[in-house]
Amino acid sequence: MASRIYFDHSATTPLDPRVRAAMGPYLDGQYGNPSSLHQEGREARDAVEKARAQVAALFGAEPSEIIFTASGTEADNLALVGTIRAGGGSGHVITSAIEHAAVLETCRFLECTGTEVTILPVNGDGLVDPASLKGALRDQTRLVSIMMANNVVGTLQPVGELGLITAQHGCLFHTDAVQAVGKVPIDVEQLGVDLLSLSAHKLHGPKGVGALYVRHGVCLDPIVFGGGQERGLRSATENVAGIVGLGAAAAHAREEMATESARLATWRERILHELRESVPNACLIGHSEKRLPGHLCLGFAGQEGEMLKLVQALDASGVAVSAGSACSSAHVGVAEKTLVAMGFDSARARGLLRVTLGRFNTDEEVERFLHILPQAVTSLVPAENDVSYSFWD
Ligand code: PLP
C-alpha cells in the first residue's frame, strides 16, 4: 500500500530525525536543571545557551535577545500583554483582522482591561495597507502587532514597511512569525522588528516550545511569575530537551532554507499549473507571489460547501490536508474569519482547502496528489455551470 502523504505542514511538521537525535541526551542521561551549579546543571545550561545562539542566528539577533517560552501562543501573549503592562496598562494596540487567535484573543483580553485596540482591514489578497497603519497610529499607541505570514492563506505581509512606519511613530513593532521562521529569510535589524514570536513545531522541531525575540532596550513585564528564569520574563525550569530541539531545528533551517524553499515553491507552482487543467473551478486564494513557498490555499468555486467531504475523501485516499487553520478545522462549514476579512461573502468564505508542503515531501508524493485531488473533487456535488468567478488572475 502507498504511504500516506502529509501536506499539512502549517498545522505542524514532523520532527526532523536530526533534531530528535540532538534532543535524545537531554531526555535521558543529561537531566540537569540549568539553574543548578553542579556539573549536570552546567551541562544543561550550556545546551540551553547553545540553542539560544542557534535561534538568534536564524534572524540576525543577539542570543541575549531570545526568551524561550512554551509555545508560539505564549510568545504572542508575552509580547502583547508584557508590553502593555510594562507601560503601566491601558494604551492603544494596533493589529490586523487576520491575525492568529493567539494575537486576536490576547487583544480581546487587553481590551477588557482598558487597552484600546484598532483592528486593521486587509485587502482581497490578505495584505495590510501601510497607509491604513499610518492612519491608525495615535499618541497613545504602544504596540503594532502584524503577522509575518498568514497561517490560513499564506500571504506575506510587508513587515519591513510596516515596521518602519511604526518606528517613525516611536512605538514598538511585534510580528507573529510562527509560520514564516525557517521558510523565508528574516533579519530583525533590516525589518525594524522589536518583538518576534516563533514556534519549534512549525520548523520540524518539537511541540511545546517557542521563543520571543525581544530587542535590547525593549521593556516587557512577565506574564508568568516564579523563579525568575529567562531574565525574569519567563519563570519555570527550562524545557531543556525542547529548547535543544528548537535550537537544532533553527540551525538546520538556517542551512537549508534557500534550497528547501526553492523546492517547495517549485512544487507549489507545479500543483497550481496542473490544477488549472484538471480542476477548472479551482482557484488560488491569497497573493500569488507574496506567499509562503510551500503554501497553497485553494478555493473550489461553487463547491465551497463540500470542503469537509473533500478533506475526508482525500484523507481516505491517504492525503492529509486541512480545510482552514488547524484551530478552525473543527468548524468546517463555518465561514473562515480570514476569508471574511479578505472580503469573501459568507458562502465563499465557508470553503477552502489548505495544502502545505514540507521538508520530507517528495516528487512522487506531489505527482500522486495531482492524480488523487481531481478524482476526489469529482466525488463532490458538482459546481453549478454559471459559477461566474475565477481566482486564477
Ligand atoms: N501564530 C500563528 C500564525 C500560528 O500559525 C500558530 C499555530 O498554528 C500560532 C501562532 C500558535 O503557535 P503554537 O501552536 O506554538 O502555540
Side-chain angles (χ1 to χ4, degrees), residues 71-73 76 100 147 151 176 178-179 199 201-202:
S71 61
T73 299
D76 284 340
H100 190 270
M147 70 199 321
N151 47 309
D176 174 341
V178 166
Q179 291 289 344
S199 178
H201 75 101
K202 308 287 188 182

Side-chain angles (χ1 to χ4, degrees), residues 86-161:
S90 65
H92 175 232
V93 171
I94 300 174
T95 190
S96 87
I98 61 167
E99 297 298 311
H100 190 270
V103 167
L104 285 176
E105 289 301 313
T106 306
C107 284
R108 206 205 293 249
F109 164 78
L110 287 171
E111 238 175 351
C112 294
T113 53
T115 302
E116 286 190 71
V117 177
T118 298
I119 298 187
L120 300 178
V122 293
N123 69 12
D125 286 332
L127 286 168
V128 172
D129 179 359
S132 76
L133 172 59
K134 264 188 196 154
L137 285 160
R138 305 182 197 160
D139 290 346
Q140 303 79 4
T141 309
R142 298 252 181 81
L143 180 70
V144 175
S145 177
I146 308 286
M147 70 199 321
M148 194 167 285
N150 182 263
N151 47 309
V152 178
V153 295
T155 299
L156 294 166
Q157 297 293 346
V159 165
E161 207 178 334

Side-chain angles (χ1 to χ4, degrees), residues 153-209:
V153 295
T155 299
L156 294 166
Q157 297 293 346
V159 165
E161 207 178 334
L162 300 170
L164 184 64
I165 293 168
T166 307
Q168 282 166 349
H169 192 77
C171 50
L172 298 177
F173 187 83
H174 166 247
T175 189
D176 174 341
V178 166
Q179 291 289 344
V181 167
K183 294 173 197 150
V184 294
I186 301 172
D187 183 322
V188 284
E189 278 308 316
Q190 253 176 26
L191 294 174
V193 166
D194 299 299
L195 298 150
L196 177 148
S197 308
L198 66 111
S199 178
H201 75 101
K202 308 287 188 182
L203 59 147
H204 299 285
K207 294 172 182 61
V209 56

Side-chain angles (χ1 to χ4, degrees), residues 7-8 10 151-154 271-272 275 279 282-286 291 294-301 303-315 319-325 329 332 336 339 344 348-356 369 372-374 376-377 380:
F7 279 178
D8 199 13
S10 282
N151 47 309
V152 178
V153 295
I271 291 171
L272 276 179
L275 287 186
V279 188
C283 49
L284 180 68
I285 299 174
R291 64 184 307 115
H295 193 121
L296 282 156
C297 182
L298 299 170
F300 294 83
Q303 292 181 304
E304 290 84 358
E306 296 287 290
M307 286 306 109
L308 175 57
K309 265 201 241 161
L310 181 56
V311 170
Q312 287 170 338
L314 289 168
D315 190 30
V319 181
V321 292
S322 97
S325 66
S329 54
V332 175
E336 170 66 55
L339 298 197
F344 285 53
R348 281 173 60 195
R350 277 188 308 148
L352 67 87
L353 192 77
R354 188 180 69 174
V355 178
T356 47
F369 176 69
I372 293 170
L373 181 62
V377 173
L380 309 177

